[in-house]
Amino acid sequence: MHKNEAMSIQGKNVMITGPTEGIGRATAFALAERGARLHLLCRNPTKSVALRDALLSSHRDISVELYLADLGDFAEVRRVAREFIDRNEPLDVLVNNAGVINTRRILLDNGQEQMFAVNHLGHFLLTTLLLESLKRAEQGRVVVVASEAYRFCRGIRFDDLQWHRGFSAFPTYGHSKLANILFARELAERLESTPVTVNALHPGGVRSQLGAQNNWYAGRILALVKPFLRTAEKGAETSVYLATSDEVTTTSGEYFYDCKPKKTKPSARDREEARRLWELSARLVTD
Ligand SMILES: NC(=O)c1ccc[n+]([C@@H]2O[C@H](COP(=O)([O-])OP(=O)(O)OC[C@H]3O[C@@H](n4cnc5c(N)ncnc54)[C@H](OP(=O)(O)O)[C@@H]3O)[C@@H](O)[C@H]2O)c1
């Protein structure tokens, strides 16, 4: 048994988004080692099959199900949520991990800016669709991989979520991560009368593929900071802790770093902003 953990994840259903690289991949391997039944939401079919093969070759007794969706495509998110719901099984843990950072503004076909759509809206939709499955678990958990980058913005831009004005990589990325934290807070409020918990986290600065699709200049900056970053395995520790530890069975609506609660700035604790964001997000992902 691992430090501060219970054996209880053995045989439990865990869905992870973005498991093909970085922190998500390390989370998938760590939970496979603990015997979880993995449900992996990936966007790249080839990488998803390679990942399943790698997991099954190192952990023979586990089960790995693949779900293919781009989180920026809400119809695809609805389809994979339905695929899980049709299994008629509880969902014990949902790890909202997938993320993207862009140095240029990308508008999706649905009119949303890509970082806000993938990092926040797609996960908002996935989680709300899977709530009944989470409630059927003995003690369902939602783990939201956010970031200290939420500090790069002042608050939610209710008048311009698509960043028509003032797009800049870090503030826009940080805005989507602030949305992650506010989402976790509001969801925790809404689930108060249930055993389901939801907590957000910062994984630390991690050596991963985050931002690698950007231009040469961004790549050079990444290469410069790489030696100072932690490994994906270290970055996954708080996700794994929140997914498995007995210490957090009743902890909800918190923000963690290195497996400990961390106080956030007031912008990430604003109840009214969290409620407004929820209502607006629900409208933006409507069919
Ligand atoms: N790295 C850091 O220093 C750091 C710091 C703070 C927070 N975080 C957060 O940690 C999380 C994981 O990031 P990482 O560093 O591990 O990044 P990464 O190595 O780039 O991995 C990101 C994962 O998300 C998937 N993904 C990206 N866009 C997607 C989309 N549209 N639909 C579905 N899946 C998508 C990627 O799939 P593909 O393999 O198909 O690209 C990949 O599996 C993110 O939420 C990020 O914001 C990272």
Side-chain angles (χ1 to χ4, degrees):
M1 194 156 84
H2 297 258
K3 191 170 162 268
N4 296 334
E5 286 176 19
M7 297 287 281
S8 56
I9 204 69
Q10 173 87 34
K12 298 275 170 73
N13 287 315
V14 178
M15 182 175 281
I16 306 170
T17 69
T20 44
E21 294 288 352
I23 299 162
R25 186 180 174 91
T27 305
F29 274 89
L31 294 176
E33 195 191 320
R34 292 156 177 81
R37 301 181 64 202
L38 296 175
H39 301 264
L40 304 177
L41 187 156
C42 313
R43 66 169 166 177
N44 180 318
T46 311
K47 284 169 89 169
S48 70
V49 171
L51 172 62
R52 182 175 58 190
D53 290 349
L55 282 161
L56 291 175
S57 70
S58 46
H59 305 284
R60 280 169 211 283
D61 298 332
I62 58 162
S63 84
V64 181
E65 302 293 337
L66 300 177
Y67 302 77
L68 285 176
D70 187 312
L71 282 155
D73 184 327
F74 305 144
E76 290 188 6
V77 173
R78 277 197 192 84
R79 176 179 45 70
V80 292
R82 173 53 53 199
E83 282 170 25
F84 183 85
I85 292 164
D86 285 348
R87 304 178 71 87
N88 205 15
E89 291 176 25
L91 178 58
D92 297 278
V93 181
L94 170 62
V95 185
N96 288 341
N97 164 84
V100 61
I101 181 166
N102 297 325
T103 52
R104 67 188 177 91
R105 179 171 176 258
I106 298 176
L107 269 196
L108 302 179
D109 290 344
N110 57 21
Q112 301 302 323
E113 185 279 325
Q114 190 184 40
M115 288 190 266
F116 190 68
V118 171
N119 299 354
H120 170 62
L121 289 175
H123 284 116
F124 171 89
L125 179 60
L126 181 70
T127 310
T128 50
L129 291 172
L130 293 176
L131 276 185
E132 290 311 311
S133 305
L134 284 156
K135 286 180 191 166
R136 285 178 57 191
E138 206 179 304
Q139 198 268 294
R141 300 181 184 197
V142 182
V143 177
V144 177
V145 183
S147 171
E148 278 291 280
Y150 82 88
R151 293 171 180 272
F152 293 141
C153 73
R154 288 206 196 96
I156 297 295
R157 290 162 53 112
F158 289 102
D159 61 335
D160 185 19
L161 292 171
Q162 289 74 37
W163 292 84
H164 293 284
R165 288 176 282 107
F167 176 93
S168 182
F170 285 118
T172 307
Y173 170 73
H175 178 263
S176 72
K177 293 285 135 183
L178 174 63
N180 287 162
I181 302 173
L182 290 172
F183 166 63
R185 295 224 191 271
E186 178 65 16
L187 183 58
E189 289 285 328
R190 289 175 186 242
L191 292 172
E192 215 171 30
S193 61
T194 78
V196 183
T197 58
V198 47
N199 290 291
L201 69 105
H202 171 54
V206 175
R207 228 170 291 141
S208 72
Q209 289 304 305
L210 193 69
Q213 84 287 4
N214 288 302
N215 58 24
W216 178 87
Y217 181 68
R220 292 305 303 154
I221 295 179
L222 270 179
L224 284 175
V225 298
K226 241 178 188 167
F228 304 102
L229 301 177
R230 49 175 68 177
T231 62
E233 288 69 29
K234 178 76 187 159
E237 279 179 4
T238 306
S239 296
V240 174
Y241 170 78
L242 289 173
T244 59
S245 176
D246 272 352
E247 292 177 350
V248 287
T249 47
T250 56
T251 305
S252 199
E254 296 291 337
Y255 176 72
F256 281 75
Y257 175 48
D258 279 347
C259 305
K260 292 187 194 70
K262 180 170 163 62
K263 197 171 177 199
T264 56
K265 285 198 338 183
S267 62
R269 293 198 298 273
D270 189 316
R271 293 277 312 275
E272 181 53 25
E273 292 252 314
R275 190 189 55 74
R276 252 185 104 185
L277 175 66
W278 181 287
E279 283 165 8
L280 190 54
S281 303
R283 286 205 293 279
L284 292 174
V285 298
T286 307
D287 267 328

